[in-house]
């Protein structure tokens, strides 16, 4: 082990790149480790890690390129607002207060500390580098915020690890039939984040201790922060020892930082990379269902060889991005009414199983799993038909993962294959023949209107004759034919009439 340092007892401390000048202990670019200059590690580690990360991401992008199209670049101002409010502002996180606050602290701290982590990487090669605005008072303010943020992140990681590893809330559980528990992965990533914080604390703390040992004014030291605790621990060490520890802390930070970068795309923590774009590209028009396929006309629809989703790449690229973005928090399943009553559906596991399928079909190395049918291999029929398409899962998800369009597309694929549950065969057959699931005569569709004809006349339009109105009231089948629910149609007609709205219904032409 060999590290070098110079000790100067009289000169005032100069500030270079917002850090202690290397006249007290050498900055990474001027240090050595095992006889090798640290700048060599500072060059090789990022080069290898970024190359590996590019390889992993290129493989992860393959299924998105092969997937079906999706139109997501409209209404840019609204999308930017969502990004700021829900992705950066973490608006939905506090709905589950303890987990939400921990996530906010870790996320916010990570955003703040990313500047310092990037700065440390560059300092290994260019010790005088500084981001614009971080010299002088700007650097002092940032250093103050960074020290508090790093300490909060470490404390939050410890609490989060205890929750995941010991307390284990029920919504994190994974039934044996659905795969392995993800607690180990979660705790390991929390440990890596903690390691980054500790590396930063020891790097800063040893610099400050060396300044004090050399008779200079100490750098910023905020009581009870991580750096303060390290300083208290090492303040009596020799400058030579402090130089060794400083170099170790720097290299440990770099190795953990770049290892963390490459671990993210391998599992559930992929959401650290994909969640922000996933929120930006989220669905804006709630209540609508995607077409069978984006970018084709009605005439081209008849020429499609296959309808709906049958294999993984039949999803749109945005829906595959959803799979990558799942944080495995279990909030969707916690709010799902089908899951609550014991139906074989957990939205969380639909996403996880599809993500694992895509990872297997497009592996980083080795043989790929076949990109074959999802139903019967990855997902079950009952699982998909159990969904009520209520949207509770989508309303709860903090990163706007979409489920309804996926469920509808999976059902389209099953119907296209003639794979329909017995309970739905009769209603679907009736829909095909009569335009309603009851199989009742079309001419009786507007019978509800005759009961109120004297007090509230309702215009029944015939589109074939070119009859039009200002407002079309689409009544739907259940309201048209169910004696009790038809009272809703009658009340609606009264309200529209009282409001002076010119309206009509399609009656027999409504399907």
């Amino acid at each position: 082990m060999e590290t070098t340092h110079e000790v100067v007892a009289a000169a005032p401390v100069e500030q270079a790149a917002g850090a202690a000048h290397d006249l007290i202990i050498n900055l990474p670019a001027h240090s050595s480790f095992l006889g090798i200059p640290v700048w060599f590690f500072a060059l090789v580690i990022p080069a290898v890690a970024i190359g590996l990360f590019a390889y992993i991401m290129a493989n992860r992008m393959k299924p998105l390129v092969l997937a079906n199209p999706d139109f997501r670049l409209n209404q840019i101002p609204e999308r930017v607002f969502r990004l700021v409010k829900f992705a950066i502002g973490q608006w939905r996180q506090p709905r589950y207060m303890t987990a939400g606050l921990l996530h906010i602290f870790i996320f916010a701290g990570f955003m703040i500390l990313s500047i310092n982590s990037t700065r440390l990487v560059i300092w290994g090669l260019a010790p005088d580098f500084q981001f614009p605005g971080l010299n002088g008072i700007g650097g002092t303010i940032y250093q103050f915020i960074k020290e508090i943020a790093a300490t909060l992140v470490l404390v939050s990681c410890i609490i989060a690890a205890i929750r995941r590893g010991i307390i284990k809330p029920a919504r994190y559980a994974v039934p044996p039939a659905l795969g392995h528990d993800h607690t180990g992965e979660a705790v390991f990533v929390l440990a890596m984040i903690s390691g980054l914080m500790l590396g930063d604390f020891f790097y800063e703390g040893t610099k400050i201790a060396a300044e004090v040992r050399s008779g200079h004014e100490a750098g910023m030291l905020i009581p009870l922060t991580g750096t303060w605790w390290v300083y208290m621990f090492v303040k009596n060490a020799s400058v030579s020892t402090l130089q060794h520890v400083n170099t170790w802390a720097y290299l440990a930070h770099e190795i953990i930082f770049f290892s963390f970068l490459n671990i993210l795309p391998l599992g559930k923590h992929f959401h650290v990379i994909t969640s922000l774009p996933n929120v930006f590209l989220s669905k804006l028009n709630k209540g609508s269902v995607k077409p069978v396929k984006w970018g084709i006309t009605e005439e081209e629809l008849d020429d499609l060889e296959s309808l709906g989703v049958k294999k993984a790449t039949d999803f749109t690229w945005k829906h595959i991005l959803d799979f990558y973005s799942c944080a495995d928090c279990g909030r969707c399943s916690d709010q799902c009414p089908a899951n609550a009553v014991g139906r074989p559906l957990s939205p969380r596991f639909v996403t996880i199983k599809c993500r694992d399928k895509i990872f297997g079909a497009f592996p980083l190395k080795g043989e790929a799993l076949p990109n074959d049918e999802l139903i019967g291999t990855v997902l079950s029929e009952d699982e998909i038909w159990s969904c009520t398409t209520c949207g509770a899962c989508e309303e709860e998800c903090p990163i706007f993962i979409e489920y309804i369009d996926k469920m509808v597309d999976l059902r389209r694929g099953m119907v296209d294959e003639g794979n329909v549950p017995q309970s739905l065969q009769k209603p679907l057959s009736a829909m095909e023949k009569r335009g309603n699931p009851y199989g009742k005569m079309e001419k009786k569709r507007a019978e509800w209107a005759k009961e109120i004809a004297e007090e509230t006349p309702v215009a029944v339009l015939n589109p074939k004759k070119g009859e039009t109105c200002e407002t079309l009231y689409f009544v739907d089948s259940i309201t048209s034919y169910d004696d009790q629910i038809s009272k809703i149609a009658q009340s609606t007609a009264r309200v529209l009439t009282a409001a002076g709205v010119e309206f009509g219904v399609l009656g027999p032409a409504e399907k």
Side-chain angles (χ1 to χ4, degrees), residues 353-407:
K353 289 189 290 185
C354 287
R355 181 187 65 205
D356 290 346
K357 174 66 176 177
I358 291 168
F359 282 0
F362 298 89
L364 301 180
K365 65 176 184 177
E367 294 186 9
L369 296 175
N371 182 25
D372 54 10
E373 303 288 318
L374 291 170
I375 303 299
T377 57
V378 177
L379 306 170
S380 69
E381 297 175 29
D382 284 349
E383 191 173 14
I384 303 307
W385 289 112
S386 292
C387 177
T388 66
T389 65
C390 67
C393 51
E394 295 185 357
E395 285 298 309
E396 189 57 49
C397 181
I399 47 183
F400 287 78
I401 290 173
E402 299 160 18
Y403 285 96
I404 293 176
D405 284 349
K406 297 190 191 83
M407 292 297 187

Side-chain angles (χ1 to χ4, degrees), residues 65-85:
V65 173
L66 297 173
N68 274 314
D70 207 334
F71 182 64
R72 299 285 176 147
L73 293 177
N74 60 335
Q75 299 176 250
I76 298 299
E78 172 66 16
R79 294 187 180 281
V80 172
F81 173 76
R82 280 189 169 214
L83 177 69
V84 173
K85 179 179 180 179

Side-chain angles (χ1 to χ4, degrees), residues 102-162:
L102 289 172
H103 194 278
I104 288 172
F105 289 146
I106 294 172
F107 174 81
F110 221 80
M111 295 286 282
I112 294 167
L113 291 161
S114 63
I115 298 172
N116 188 62
S117 293
T118 305
R119 192 168 61 173
L120 280 172
V121 172
I122 299 172
W123 280 349
L125 299 170
D128 294 323
F129 169 82
Q130 188 55 278
F131 287 111
L134 293 188
N135 287 307
I137 187 66
T140 302
I141 294 171
Y142 173 73
Q143 191 74 8
F144 178 82
I145 296 172
K146 183 209 62 143
E147 290 297 325
I148 294 175
T151 304
L152 282 175
V153 168
L154 179 61
V155 172
S156 297
C157 284
I158 293 170
I159 297 172
I162 292 170

Side-chain angles (χ1 to χ4, degrees), residues 272-348:
V272 175
I273 297 170
T274 61
S275 58
L276 267 66
N278 202 62
V279 173
F280 178 79
L281 297 165
S282 61
K283 186 176 183 178
L284 300 181
N285 52 333
K286 291 195 300 184
S288 64
V289 177
K290 69 171 283 293
V292 172
K293 190 171 185 178
W294 288 103
I296 63 171
T297 63
E298 283 192 41
E299 292 75 20
E300 292 172 321
L301 187 62
D302 294 331
D303 297 329
L304 290 177
E305 295 182 3
S306 178
L307 300 179
V309 168
K310 297 171 185 175
K311 55 186 181 181
T313 48
D314 288 337
F315 286 111
T316 72
W317 61 262
K318 170 57 176 64
H319 292 159
I320 292 178
L321 185 64
D322 279 346
F323 299 146
Y324 288 173
S325 301
C326 179
D328 195 18
C329 66
R331 296 182 182 209
C332 54
S333 298
D334 207 32
Q335 298 297 321
C336 175
N339 186 57
V341 297
R343 294 293 299 164
L345 170 65
S346 172
R348 169 194 176 200

